[in-house]
Amino acid sequence: MNKNPAPDIPEAGSKPSRWIFLLYALIAITLVMFFWYRNEGAPEETTWQDFVEKMLIPQDVEKLEVVNGQKVNVFIKTSKYNDPKYSSLASKMAKNLKVPLYYYTIGSVDVFYNQLHEAEQGMPLNQQVPVTYINKNDWGWTILMWILPFLLLVFLWSRMLRGTSSGMQGMNTSIFNFGQSQARVTESGNKSTITFAQVAGMDEAKEEISEIVKFLKNPTFYTRLGAKIPKGILLVGPPGTGKTLLAKAVAGEAGVPFFSLSGSEFIEMFVGVGAARMRDLFAKAKAKAPSIVFIDEIDTIGRVRGKAYSLQSNDERDSTLNQLLAELDGFDTSTGVIVLAATNRGDILDSALLRPGRFDRHIHLELPNINERKAIFLVHLKPVKTGQDVNVDQLASQTPGFSGADIANICNEAALIAARSEKNSVDQADFNQAVDRVIGGLEKKSKVISPSEKRRIAFHEAGHVITGWFLPHATPALKVSIIPRGKSLGAAWYLPEEHQIVTREEFLDTISMALGGRAAEELVFGEISSNALDDLEKATKQAYSMVVYYGLSNALGHLSYYDASGRTEQSLVRPYSEKTAEIIDDAVRQLIEGAYAKATEILTNHRNQLDDLAELLIRKEVVYQEEIRQITGHLPTNQKQNYVSQRRSI
Ligand code: ADP
Ligand code: ZN
């Protein structure tokens, strides 16, 4: 590991940012001047009477100064500054500087002269106060009055620009840093001390990414054989699953600097700043290579460019994205810069970003299952002083649907609760209270599952799996989980389709299997739920395409209304008659109903296995194919795929 502390990298500003910096410096200076003029050395206003009685008659006045024929500045003799009536005001004045202590305004110079003359009647001549007349332009004020509105306009205008380019994001970024990437540099030896040991669970992701660590440590080992290391790795997963953590761990393990910036930070108020920042970020990273660049929330800049967004102004986003693409293409991996990016929406990214040579490697992070949650608890419990009765297994089983960040939060919350009641250690009761509190806070925004929901999801997923297992043409599940994933609650993994030609039977069985979840819910609970939205959507689409596109229904026969040119999509006219539309509707409905009946039949026949699998799911949350086989006591009916080799392929 390289231990020498790195000097701060000089900020390389780009052209527009210099001007903006100047502008703001000007604002700052004028403001300072403004306050200085206001508060320091400002004479106090007085009246003619006071002036005469308190200053003129006692002969305290050194001289008078008539400014622009409107104002009279009164200079008090410095020898009188100690007089209690002046001392407080005089002490505020700049020392050694002769400034007026008071002033008063006058209507006209003639009147003033006469009045003064009258007041000085009877005074000996040598005691009369000298009067000077001056014309003074108060430049400070004049400039201020001119510049302030202008600055205000510029400021409002820039705010407006920012508003259109990125909503209200990035409002909190410092106004002095436009155009310069705010990449926080984390160097080995001081900040990125995170190692893989602090990242619990996600073994596959760690395994995959550890190759990057090896490369960063010893690039020549790979390049000497001509191997290419991926430049860009996309980490996809729900918030809080440790994407940032993993990226930092890579930097920590390899002992290389870590540059990170969040997607929303690129998009700022001035057009062109995002691209400049991107350039800057990569320039810094290359100067410190080997290094890691981490771009969080890449979807804010890398979203699909399409008509759906054309109403917003996306110039800024587009130019930032183009710059990113240019940067990615502009270096080869032998430079030693590796770009990691994180998003929770892999599906909305522009395909240009995902092309070979860019972010072509994807690592999916999921919400942790029960064993992973236990491991995460163990990581975060290490610094906590726990009591004897803390049961990590129980904590892990209590928290389905929690992300790593939620778990870290629970551990912290529990420690706070214990500290508040002045305990010496954190007990199980504190943890239970923390779990409740975190659930309370999360319920609205996240997918935390209650025990009754967990039961329903378990039967739903088991329904899919059992149906699929006993259908001769469906794809048997590789693994099934009740941890929320994407839109749906729970998920089952299947081998991707290898063959392009799908027979009618395969279609029907796939639809049956998609409906198996809902069929199980109806069978077990006597009521159905909203938990099947995805399934229904998929089943309906498939049934529809069977009828309308592939000509696979008896009712309609060998007809296809598929239009390869895609023109019918846009026209509002259907290429068939009303009557045909009715036939299609009927045919689709019949297909779905038939498939549902088949799923129900299978599940009724294998009710015991369904119950067993669901119970196992409730207990373990993830069940693999081998365990499904043990429960069913049966190999999957569809054995087209080589069953043994499937165990670990996802
Ligand atoms: P993301 O970037 O995916 O939103 P983060 O990496 O910011 O999530 O995770 C937030 C915090 O959650 C981390 O700092 C860490 O404390 C905790 N965390 C998340 N996943 C894990 C994990 N697998 N192991 C240990 N801690 C984790
Ligand atoms: Zn389902």
Side-chain angles (χ1 to χ4, degrees), residues 460-461 464 535:
H460 178 105
E461 294 305 323
H464 285 305
D535 302 337

Side-chain angles (χ1 to χ4, degrees), residues 491-540:
W493 281 259
Y494 309 94
L495 261 195
E497 279 302 337
E498 281 161 17
H499 42 105
Q500 288 297 310
I501 299 175
V502 185
T503 64
R504 194 184 136 97
E505 282 63 37
E506 282 165 348
F507 259 123
L508 288 173
D509 282 3
T510 311
I511 297 176
S512 275
M513 188 163 159
L515 296 172
R518 169 163 279 201
E521 283 187 54
E522 188 175 16
L523 204 64
V524 176
F525 302 104
E527 56 179 10
I528 51 182
S529 74
S530 63
N531 191 9
L533 173 64
D534 260 9
D535 302 337
L536 296 185
E537 185 192 342
K538 217 163 30 184
T540 312

Side-chain angles (χ1 to χ4, degrees), residues 58-62 75-81 86 98:
Q59 299 186 357
D60 292 348
V61 181
E62 165 125 11
F75 290 77
I76 303 294
K77 291 175 182 154
T78 28
S79 55
K80 302 274 179 174
Y81 273 15
Y86 305 124
K98 235 168 170 283

Side-chain angles (χ1 to χ4, degrees), residues 280-438:
D280 223 49
L281 175 66
F282 277 86
K284 283 182 188 170
K286 278 185 221 164
K288 287 255 149 186
S291 58
I292 297 249
V293 170
F294 179 66
I295 303 175
D296 205 357
E297 301 172 35
I298 195 169
D299 40 306
T300 44
I301 44 177
R303 186 175 277 175
V304 188
R305 293 173 281 194
K307 15 184 190 0
Y309 301 98
S310 60
L311 284 180
Q312 301 169 8
S313 113
N314 348 315
D315 294 357
E316 178 62 354
R317 216 188 52 218
D318 283 358
S319 64
T320 311
L321 176 57
N322 287 336
Q323 189 63 40
L324 173 60
L325 297 178
E327 293 292 346
L328 279 173
D329 296 342
F331 65 90
D332 65 293
T333 33
S334 53
T335 16
V337 178
I338 288 185
V339 191
L340 298 178
T343 176
N344 47 12
R345 301 281 317 270
D347 50 331
I348 59 166
L349 289 184
D350 200 298
S351 58
L353 261 180
L354 308 178
R355 261 182 226 140
R358 294 170 180 170
F359 289 102
D360 48 5
R361 270 225 202 165
H362 300 180
I363 295 181
H364 288 266
L365 301 180
E366 305 296 341
L367 287 173
N369 64 37
I370 189 162
N371 290 327
E372 291 167 331
R373 288 202 302 270
K374 182 175 169 186
I376 298 174
F377 263 114
L378 289 176
V379 166
H380 289 283
L381 285 180
K382 224 174 257 163
V384 177
K385 229 178 136 198
T386 47
Q388 292 292 317
D389 65 337
V390 172
N391 183 342
V392 182
D393 289 301
Q394 192 191 330
L395 285 174
S397 74
Q398 267 175 340
T399 47
F402 280 54
S403 69
D406 296 335
I407 291 175
N409 193 4
I410 287 180
C411 294
N412 189 45
E413 211 30 75
L416 284 178
I417 291 172
R420 242 171 258 145
S421 42
E422 291 173 11
K423 291 188 195 170
N424 289 326
S425 62
V426 190
D427 301 332
Q428 182 73 17
D430 303 318
F431 279 102
N432 292 342
Q433 210 180 326
V435 171
D436 289 345
R437 185 167 295 183
V438 172

Side-chain angles (χ1 to χ4, degrees), residues 198-200 202 238-245 376 380 404-405 408:
Q198 277 153 279
V199 186
M202 44 169 135
T241 41
K243 299 183 288 294
T244 316
L245 188 72
I376 298 174
H380 289 283

Side-chain angles (χ1 to χ4, degrees), residues 474-476 478 495-499 625 636 638-646:
T475 324
L478 295 172
L495 261 195
E497 279 302 337
E498 281 161 17
H499 42 105
Q625 196 171 43
N638 178 6
Q639 285 206 59
K640 258 191 218 158
Q641 283 91 7
N642 179 358
Y643 160 71
V644 184
S645 71
Q646 288 167 13

Side-chain angles (χ1 to χ4, degrees), residues 3-76:
K3 280 263 153 70
N4 32 337
D8 260 322
I9 295 176
E11 303 270 302
S14 48
K15 260 193 192 151
S17 68
R18 281 277 176 256
W19 285 109
I20 293 149
F21 178 77
L22 264 181
L23 193 74
Y24 276 91
L26 213 69
I27 297 189
I29 290 170
T30 20
L31 282 180
V32 167
M33 267 168 57
F34 179 80
F35 283 109
W36 189 72
Y37 266 104
R38 292 304 312 256
N39 296 334
E40 291 234 356
E44 195 168 277
E45 187 165 17
T46 182
T47 59
W48 171 252
Q49 273 79 18
D50 276 0
F51 164 69
V52 172
E53 283 166 24
K54 295 191 184 142
M55 302 168 214
L56 191 68
I57 310 279
Q59 299 186 357
D60 292 348
V61 181
E62 165 125 11
K63 66 167 183 174
L64 293 174
E65 188 181 71
V66 181
V67 184
N68 300 340
Q70 293 167 341
K71 191 172 114 177
V72 178
N73 282 332
V74 184
F75 290 77
I76 303 294

